[in-house]
Amino acid sequence: MHYSIPYEKDLNQSQLNAVQYHHSPLLVLAGAGSGKTRVITYKIAYLINECGFDPESILAVTFTNKASNEMKIRVMSLLGEEVDVWIKTFHSTAAKLLRVYGSYFGIKQGFSIIDQHDQHTVVRDIIKKMNIDTESHKPEKYVYLIERAKDNLLDPEEARAAEFSTDPLFYDIFHKYASILKGDNLFDFGDLIYNVVRILRENKEALTLLKRRFRYILVDEFQDTNHSQYILVKLLALPEGEVCVVGDDDQSIYGFRGAKVENILNFQADYKGTKVIKLEENYRSFQTILSASSSLINRNTGRLGKTLYTRKGKGEKLCFFHASTDRNEAIFIASEIQELIFRNGYSFSDMAIFYRMNAQSRSFESILSQLRIPYIIVGGLRFYEREEIKDILSYIRLVINPMDEISLRRVMAKPPRGIGTKTVDTLIQCTIRGGVPFYDFKNCSEISSSRSKKLSNFTALIMELSEEMNKTYPPDILRKIYDETGYVEWLKEQNKEEKLANLDELYNAVEEFSRRNPSSPISEFLEEVSLNQAAGDEEFQNNRVCLITLHNAKGLEFPVVFIAGMEEGIFPHFLSGGHKDDIEEERRLCYVGMTRAMEKLYLTAAKLRRLYGRNIERSISTFIHELPEDLLLYKEEKHLENKSVSYYSSEARNQIKRGGDKSYRRTDSFVESDIEKGTRIIHKQFGKGKVLELEKGIAVIKFDDGKIMKFMLQYTPIRREETDED
DNA sequence: CCAATAAGTGTTTTT
DNA sequence: CACTTATTGG
């Protein structure tokens, strides 16, 4: 009847055990590259196909949208059809639960979700109103404390009782913050989880309802759960214990947002009869990469401990390059990318550059675009965080939720309407704070008639839009907002071409959304983008080098990885403090980065780095010194200068001097590749083979399946077959 | 009271 | 470099 899945063939023994076991709670300790996602996806398929679970009764939670999307696709391809399993992030699970079941349990519908920037704005306003200076009392500090309090399921009063912070002002600020969000019907990320937990704890009926619905729960990246997420899972999963969590304590990198590695350790204590399965075979990396990263992570204390091994062969040494400046670091990486493309047959999408801070991407952007190397920045200055995009989204939010003062403030002077902060303050005071929508201001005596007239124009516009909100096709609503608020006109006056282009892109995104979900209102689009801050999902489709932060790189893999900025103060970052725990988290981050690499791993540093406008001398990261010397190949700029091959000194540099060559053409130096007559090669598409003839850059290759083909070497994705010589 | 401009400052990682 | 705050002209 259903697809028969060859579990035994596709999985190794430990993976198979993890997939088939479901007699008690299951903890899978999955080392880097050990097939963690494979286990979860096959397990979901197994539960449905072999154990008779209704797809709707399975809940699989991840941390990122990227992970959940990938998981959905893989489950779908295993089962051969789309299934109704909930595969979602923690936050979108919570949001969906609050939307679907919330109204039964006292959650007001139509809430919007705010991001950290909005949180910051609210807190800054509170501090200002309290007449405290924002120098010694930094808003970001309070945002951080509020988030941590919510992670720990504390409301302002409970936080005070628990002496959560030594700063007495905190409780007051937290209290004001909470009441503003409540009054505006806004939720921050922490509220989503917090409120679900609160309902489940206080309301037996809700708990029964959800427990009846979700019979089996899977959690990915369990080491990244914070307290509230841990409790949420526990509420749903106990006492039955139909649960499987997968994680790796060595890859815990989100301590700064409340994640607790201890949750992995506590798991066995909280869930009676837990079965532990370790996945220790690494399918991703060569031995050198694995050895180097293992010896780094071995320096951390309090680990559960795993012994990863690989059967992929030895591999080359890692390369450490010490550049004189950050610019030269970028040039080195760029030229190395060209080499790997032309000589080894890698494609751009095989390679990634990792860095600790988003600000580091700039130097790569400029060099790569000068050399016409295609790249994509993942994360970074995200699309939905751009000013113009947030402005338009705020208009939509305001139309949906007239109590949303954050959006109101944001949008009021864009374009300028003769209404400033003073007037907005009084307006909010006598409307939203009194529990009525912002457009009910007729009883406000404090607002002068001249302002009142201007306000009326604005409120009439928003009310008109809200009339149409539910009956109009979402892209048309967007168009109306563009035109009738005067926003697009305003941008045109200022010749903000890029912003206008972004608004076109936003329009396309809404159109695309409406095509996917024909009957969904625009509010659902809003939900989607609030919880999925990432850019479009065609990120990896084109052939581009991936530029990404180390944090975002978790869960990904690339044949070639460059980790840039291996310098004290940057990585480990100086703000991460000198404390042991912080350094260990940075070390885990380095471990995560290194273990993304399948074949080649480069680590680079600069002696002089320009950052935030000033040049600073930097020394090499301790993490480099912590790697075994015999696994590292040191390269310095001066070594390269002497090289006769046009390496980075002439070829790449000349191009940069020319400002990039549009008709970029390989030069002879690249023809001297390491491929010659007789070389065994791997072709990206056709697999392994041997070079029979090689003349004028054209190779005749006989593949192992007998096929003989001709290729232009320079355009062919082939590279030497790595021989694991001893 | 609003809006545009000039000076000043402090710098991570993300759902 | 980007973002916040202070100042000034309207």
Side-chain angles (χ1 to χ4, degrees):
Chain A
M1 221 66 134
H2 57 66
Y3 252 25
S4 158
I5 297 170
Y7 300 99
E8 287 85 359
K9 183 167 156 283
D10 293 355
L11 302 164
N12 70 28
Q13 193 56 51
S14 328
Q15 291 172 337
L16 187 65
N17 291 347
V19 165
Q20 292 180 334
Y21 186 89
H22 77 108
H23 308 294
S24 71
L26 178 61
L27 168 61
V28 179
L29 296 172
S34 65
K36 169 180 69 93
T37 312
R38 174 168 288 242
V39 164
I40 296 178
T41 49
Y42 275 74
K43 192 169 183 78
I44 293 171
Y46 188 85
L47 289 167
I48 294 170
N49 274 1
E50 326 300 329
C51 308
F53 275 87
D54 185 341
E56 284 184 34
S57 70
I58 297 172
L59 172 65
V61 264
T62 63
F63 275 85
T64 65
N65 293 288
K66 205 180 287 162
S68 80
N69 289 337
E70 159 137 18
M71 215 172 268
K72 273 180 210 155
I73 291 167
R74 286 170 69 167
V75 168
M76 200 165 77
S77 74
L78 270 181
L79 293 173
E81 59 183 353
E82 199 157 343
V83 284
D84 294 325
V85 184
W86 269 32
I87 302 177
K88 290 173 175 298
T89 65
F90 262 108
H91 292 93
S92 56
T93 303
K96 182 90 186 232
L97 289 175
L98 291 174
R99 299 261 185 233
V100 177
Y101 300 105
S103 58
Y104 299 115
F105 306 112
I107 298 288
K108 212 163 126 194
Q109 289 305 283
F111 61 83
S112 314
I113 298 163
I114 61 166
D115 64 12
Q116 199 168 33
H117 187 268
D118 296 329
Q119 289 182 288
H120 192 271
T121 313
V122 174
V123 171
R124 205 183 53 215
D125 289 351
I126 291 171
I127 295 176
K128 271 193 205 153
K129 295 249 165 56
M130 289 168 77
N131 279 323
I132 314 166
D133 79 309
T134 48
E135 285 302 308
S136 50
H137 301 272
K138 295 207 176 101
E140 47 271 39
K141 179 191 153 195
Y142 293 103
V143 170
Y144 175 81
L145 284 171
I146 288 170
E147 287 188 322
R148 294 296 75 75
K150 286 185 181 180
D151 291 347
N152 286 297
L153 298 168
L154 299 171
D155 68 20
E157 299 322 313
E158 289 163 338
R160 193 193 299 273
E163 296 181 17
F164 186 75
S165 165
T166 51
D167 182 345
L169 289 170
F170 165 66
Y171 307 107
D172 217 15
I173 294 170
F174 186 14
H175 184 87
K176 289 196 163 84
Y177 173 87
S179 66
I180 288 175
L181 261 61
K182 190 157 200 284
D184 295 3
N185 202 17
L186 298 173
F187 282 64
D188 62 25
F189 287 122
D191 285 330
L192 297 170
I193 315 279
Y194 174 87
N195 279 290
V196 173
V197 170
R198 192 178 53 78
I199 290 171
L200 292 181
R201 272 180 168 171
E202 291 170 4
N203 194 318
K204 274 270 160 328
E205 216 183 312
L207 186 64
T208 317
L209 186 70
L210 290 193
K211 284 178 72 76
R212 199 177 297 147
R213 154 130 206 198
F214 298 117
R215 311 305 278 267
Y216 200 98
I217 296 171
L218 300 104
V219 187
D220 189 19
E221 308 277 16
F222 197 69
Q223 76 283 352
D224 287 335
T225 49
N226 62 33
H227 179 68
S228 63
Q229 291 160 340
Y230 184 79
I231 296 297
L232 175 57
V233 172
K234 204 167 135 182
L235 282 167
L236 291 175
L238 283 178
E240 295 81 2
E242 295 270 67
V243 60
C244 166
V245 304
V246 183
D248 178 3
D249 52 322
D250 290 334
Q251 294 189 62
S252 166
I253 55 172
Y254 285 108
F256 71 92
R257 65 170 196 216
K260 289 205 211 152
V261 207
E262 303 91 76
N263 288 343
I264 277 201
L265 309 161
N266 291 344
F267 188 83
Q268 296 183 65
D270 277 357
Y271 292 77
K272 294 279 169 288
T274 295
K275 165 100 171 165
V276 180
I277 295 177
K278 287 187 181 185
L279 305 182
E280 297 181 300
E281 173 161 7
N282 173 297
Y283 291 94
R284 181 182 294 152
S285 312
F286 283 134
Q287 187 62 54
T288 45
I289 293 170
L290 212 54
S291 304
S293 53
S294 298
S295 72
L296 182 84
I297 200 69
N298 275 333
R299 292 174 183 264
N300 274 10
T301 56
R303 302 168 55 224
L304 286 172
K306 288 177 300 300
T307 325
L308 286 186
Y309 64 96
T310 180
R311 285 186 282 189
K312 284 198 66 176
K314 189 160 174 282
E316 308 161 32
K317 287 185 179 185
L318 324 196
C319 170
F320 173 69
F321 180 73
H322 201 189
S324 59
T325 63
D326 53 332
R327 185 181 149 80
N328 281 354
E329 179 188 44
I331 293 173
F332 168 76
I333 290 177
S335 64
E336 205 63 29
I337 287 171
Q338 291 182 324
E339 290 277 310
L340 290 167
I341 293 277
F342 294 128
R343 306 184 64 176
N344 301 44
Y346 284 101
S347 39
F348 292 112
S349 55
D350 288 335
M351 300 185 264
I353 305 172
F354 298 170
Y355 36 79
R356 179 68 233 273
M357 297 177 293
N358 285 305
Q360 285 170 263
S361 72
R362 290 197 159 275
S363 53
F364 297 109
E365 288 175 64
S366 98
I367 299 297
L368 292 179
S369 53
Q370 283 180 62
L371 288 175
R372 316 277 159 194
I373 295 175
Y375 64 87
I376 171 108
I377 297 175
V378 177
L381 342 120
R382 277 166 278 191
F383 185 70
Y384 289 103
E385 278 171 12
R386 299 203 171 133
E387 189 189 11
E388 63 280 15
I389 303 299
K390 284 204 73 175
D391 288 346
I392 297 301
L393 295 180
S394 288
Y395 271 111
I396 303 174
R397 278 185 1 189
L398 187 62
V399 171
I400 292 171
N401 174 12
M403 310 288 279
D404 184 344
E405 65 178 273
I406 300 176
S407 296
L408 176 64
R409 283 186 205 276
R410 181 173 187 103
V411 134
M412 193 52 115
K414 293 181 168 193
R417 298 189 168 83
I419 306 287
T421 35
K422 280 279 185 216
T423 310
V424 178
D425 275 348
T426 41
L427 173 68
I428 287 169
Q429 199 57 46
C430 70
T431 57
I432 295 172
R433 292 293 153 79
V436 298
F438 78 95
Y439 42 70
D440 283 348
F441 62 92
K442 29 192 185 309
N443 301 329
C444 290
S445 47
E446 298 94 330
I447 295 176
S448 71
S449 59
S450 62
R451 303 276 165 241
S452 185
K453 184 89 182 83
K454 284 174 172 161
L455 263 179
S456 295
N457 293 334
F458 178 73
T459 55
L461 172 65
I462 300 295
M463 285 167 86
E464 183 201 320
L465 286 165
S466 96
E467 287 280 299
E468 300 181 26
M469 199 47 115
N470 289 317
K471 41 186 186 204
T472 311
Y473 184 56
D476 292 340
I477 294 175
L478 201 70
R479 181 58 59 201
K480 271 196 145 62
I481 290 175
Y482 284 3
D483 297 337
E484 291 177 21
T485 60
Y487 195 90
V488 163
E489 190 61 36
W490 183 52
L491 290 184
K492 278 184 184 157
E493 280 163 20
Q494 302 170 84
N495 293 320
K496 306 263 183 180
E497 295 302 332
E498 201 183 331
K499 293 191 171 189
L500 286 164
N502 286 334
L503 290 189
D504 281 341
E505 207 171 307
L506 179 65
Y507 184 84
N508 291 339
V510 173
E511 228 175 17
E512 155 71 23
F513 168 83
S514 289
R515 214 173 304 134
R516 269 198 334 261
N517 317 284
S519 55
S520 299
I522 202 164
S523 57
E524 275 180 36
F525 173 77
L526 211 57
E527 175 100 0
E528 196 174 282
V529 302
S530 313
L531 292 168
N532 184 4
Q533 302 273 319
D537 31 6
E538 57 276 282
E539 278 169 11
F540 298 100
Q541 280 172 18
N542 331 10
N543 187 16
R544 291 149 180 258
V545 176
C546 178
L547 271 58
I548 192 168
T549 62
L550 285 145
H551 281 88
N552 266 323
K554 187 159 74 151
L556 305 178
E557 62 179 21
F558 299 90
V560 182
V561 167
F562 298 89
I563 304 180
M566 296 297 304
E567 297 143 40
E568 274 310 280
I570 290 207
F571 193 25
H573 196 276
F574 68 102
L575 278 183
S576 76
H579 297 292
K580 194 181 124 225
D581 289 359
D582 300 323
I583 291 293
E584 293 205 342
E585 179 151 317
E586 295 280 305
R587 193 179 282 115
R588 287 193 293 270
L589 187 57
C590 188
Y591 174 76
V592 166
M594 292 174 73
T595 53
R596 302 305 97 197
M598 300 160 80
E599 296 163 17
K600 285 171 186 284
L601 177 57
Y602 292 80
L603 303 155
T604 63
K607 289 177 184 141
L608 198 67
R609 179 172 296 275
R610 190 178 165 75
L611 205 59
Y612 308 117
R614 55 179 43 178
N615 280 317
I616 305 166
E617 273 197 54
R618 303 217 158 265
S619 56
I620 295 174
S621 167
T622 40
F623 297 152
I624 293 295
H625 300 303
E626 289 174 4
L627 297 173
E629 268 184 54
D630 57 316
L631 294 178
L632 271 194
L633 181 68
Y634 286 83
K635 280 191 190 174
E636 276 204 69
E637 239 170 80
K638 52 176 186 270
H639 299 154
L640 298 174
E641 300 282 3
N642 299 335
K643 273 191 114 168
S644 54
V645 208
S646 66
Y647 202 58
Y648 109 86
S649 36
S650 50
E651 176 59 23
R653 208 171 250 172
N654 284 342
Q655 281 188 51
I656 286 164
K657 273 186 200 146
R658 291 196 298 270
D661 186 348
K662 276 200 188 107
S663 58
Y664 179 71
R665 198 171 44 83
R666 269 168 14 110
T667 58
D668 287 341
S669 66
F670 289 117
V671 176
E672 304 165 9
S673 73
D674 58 357
I675 289 170
E676 49 191 297
K677 196 170 167 176
T679 312
R680 293 213 29 98
I681 55 88
I682 300 177
H683 187 285
K684 262 226 107 63
Q685 235 177 310
F686 304 109
K688 295 179 180 184
K690 191 175 165 184
V691 180
L692 291 184
E693 298 289 340
L694 181 69
E695 212 181 307
K696 291 178 183 160
I698 295 172
V700 181
I701 292 166
K702 181 176 182 183
F703 289 98
D704 291 354
D705 61 4
K707 261 189 224 131
I708 297 179
M709 297 171 94
K710 266 190 186 179
F711 295 98
M712 293 272 287
L713 213 46
Q714 87 185 86
Y715 301 119
T716 309
I718 62 170
R719 62 173 189 270
R720 257 189 116 89
E721 185 181 345
E722 305 292 343
T723 45
D724 309 330
E725 72 270 85
D726 13 5

